[in-house]
Amino acid sequence: MKIKRSGRLVDMTHYLLQHPHELVPLTYFAERYESAKSSISEDLGIIKQTFEESGVGTLLTVAGAAGGVKYIPTLGKEEAVSFIDELCQLFTKPERLLPGGYLYLTDILGNPSLVNKIGLMFASLFATKKIDVVMTVATKGIPLAYAVASYLNVPVVIVRKDSKVTEGSTVSINYVSGSSKRIQTMLLARRSLEVGSNVLIIDDFMKAGGTINGMVSLLEEFDANVAGIGVLIESDDAEERLVEEYYSLVQLSEVKLKEKEIEVVSGNFIKHYDDMVVKNLGGEKE
């Protein structure tokens, strides 16, 4: 279809936003709009500049016969800091406190706007990593995993604690819960992962890290690699941390049951933002 540049820009922008991390050959756009590759390249230059100035990501160009252009969604550092502050305010609401010192998270994990922004945060952090699959454990981590996977354009695999007949044969391991020190079981369908897959682990909450450590052990049974670990909120009162390298958005400092107070601070996400997002994508620090 032969359309004007203004129409091409709108349609190309929409297509790229719907296909993140997908290498699109310039010939695809040239044939789609019946335009010369030189015109398409100029259009992509305009889109790239607009994306970067508005803080929604960037376009990476891959040279060669098999090359093309790839949209990389990212969140600007200033917006990331602001969003983490917003999350901290949400977590400190007294009504979030449950008996036993647990935190109510369903309202956050059930809010599409918040979950999508959290997904974009982690997708930004791991934008330049080779990610084949996003993994989480049922059930609260599932919305976060799908949000991250949608921006990275990769599938999700879900680790379960009980077998589902619909998943076929499974691989199971026993692991020690970091907080309760109890031996528990987790399993994953054999068809979920290919050998050598690079896996990004995402979870909603981490105390000592026993569950995440269990997922790491499970990946070893598939000869898969841990490409990274991201958690929404981590607890600061763990006696022993079983996971060393991870990235968190919020850190739970203290829970005062009698006063019904919840103290949280920003996690380590922002501390690593420049090295993992700005530097790796060739941008400038804000």
Side-chain angles (χ1 to χ4, degrees):
M1 54 179 179
K2 187 71 173 179
I3 58 177
K4 296 180 179 180
R5 164 166 282 184
S6 58
R8 288 203 310 266
L9 289 172
V10 172
D11 192 68
M12 290 172 69
T13 299
H14 178 264
Y15 184 90
L16 291 167
L17 290 173
Q18 295 298 314
H19 298 81
H21 286 272
E22 179 180 311
L23 186 61
V24 185
L26 263 61
T27 52
Y28 173 82
F29 287 130
E31 294 173 359
R32 181 182 177 96
Y33 308 118
E34 300 178 8
S35 301
K37 286 187 178 180
S38 57
S39 298
I40 297 299
S41 295
E42 292 176 1
D43 293 345
L44 291 172
I46 295 173
I47 295 173
K48 174 183 172 67
Q49 181 179 355
T50 304
F51 278 178
E52 292 177 351
E53 289 178 351
S54 59
V56 300
T58 188
L59 294 184
L60 296 183
T61 302
V62 179
V69 65
K70 184 185 296 185
Y71 166 53
I72 309 297
T74 59
L75 192 69
K77 186 176 181 180
E78 184 177 338
E79 188 176 355
V81 171
S82 176
F83 180 64
I84 290 178
D85 289 341
E86 179 185 347
L87 284 176
C88 288
Q89 292 178 13
L90 288 173
F91 278 116
T92 55
K93 290 183 177 180
E95 58 268 26
R96 191 171 301 285
L97 198 55
L98 299 173
Y102 294 98
L103 298 185
Y104 181 78
L105 300 179
T106 304
D107 60 327
I108 293 176
L109 299 177
N111 185 316
S113 178
L114 293 176
V115 169
N116 285 336
K117 186 69 72 70
I118 293 168
L120 179 55
M121 295 273 280
F122 285 122
S124 299
L125 202 62
F126 296 99
T128 58
K129 292 273 191 176
K130 178 65 171 66
I131 307 293
D132 298 310
V133 169
V134 174
M135 170 186 278
T136 192
V137 63
T139 58
K140 288 185 177 179
I142 294 177
L144 299 179
Y146 272 101
V148 177
S150 68
Y151 286 107
L152 293 176
N153 200 13
V154 296
V156 173
V157 296
I158 301 172
V159 176
R160 303 188 183 278
K161 296 184 179 180
D162 55 351
S163 180
K164 301 289 183 182
V165 67
T166 54
E167 295 190 343
S169 60
T170 60
V171 175
S172 64
I173 65 161
N174 293 326
Y175 71 100
V176 179
S177 171
S179 54
S180 65
K181 303 297 182 182
R182 294 183 302 173
I183 296 179
Q184 301 185 35
T185 301
M186 62 169 57
L187 49 88
L188 185 65
R190 289 185 180 276
R191 303 181 188 185
S192 296
L193 286 176
E194 295 183 4
V195 174
S197 293
N198 297 302
V199 182
L200 172 59
I201 297 175
I202 296 293
D203 207 358
D204 63 312
F205 184 84
M206 181 178 74
K207 190 170 185 180
T211 300
I212 290 178
N213 194 45
M215 284 191 277
V216 172
S217 299
L218 187 57
L219 288 177
E220 294 175 358
E221 299 295 320
F222 287 83
D223 292 326
N225 309 306
V226 179
I229 299 172
V231 296
L232 171 60
I233 181 169
E234 62 165 316
S235 176
D236 190 35
D237 66 349
E239 295 180 1
E240 179 186 7
R241 184 76 74 195
L242 302 178
V243 179
E244 294 183 359
E245 190 171 337
Y246 62 91
Y247 305 97
S248 63
L249 299 188
V250 178
Q251 183 182 80
L252 178 64
S253 301
E254 187 176 4
V255 174
K256 300 178 181 178
L257 288 174
K258 290 184 178 180
E259 295 84 357
K260 292 187 177 181
E261 293 181 1
I262 305 169
E263 296 181 3
V264 300
V265 295
S266 174
N268 63 8
F269 178 94
I270 295 300
K271 184 171 65 176
H272 297 279
Y273 183 94
D274 288 334
D275 287 337
M276 294 191 66
V277 181
V278 179
K279 183 187 296 184
N280 290 336
L281 288 176
E284 298 293 332
K285 291 186 179 182
E286 297 183 22

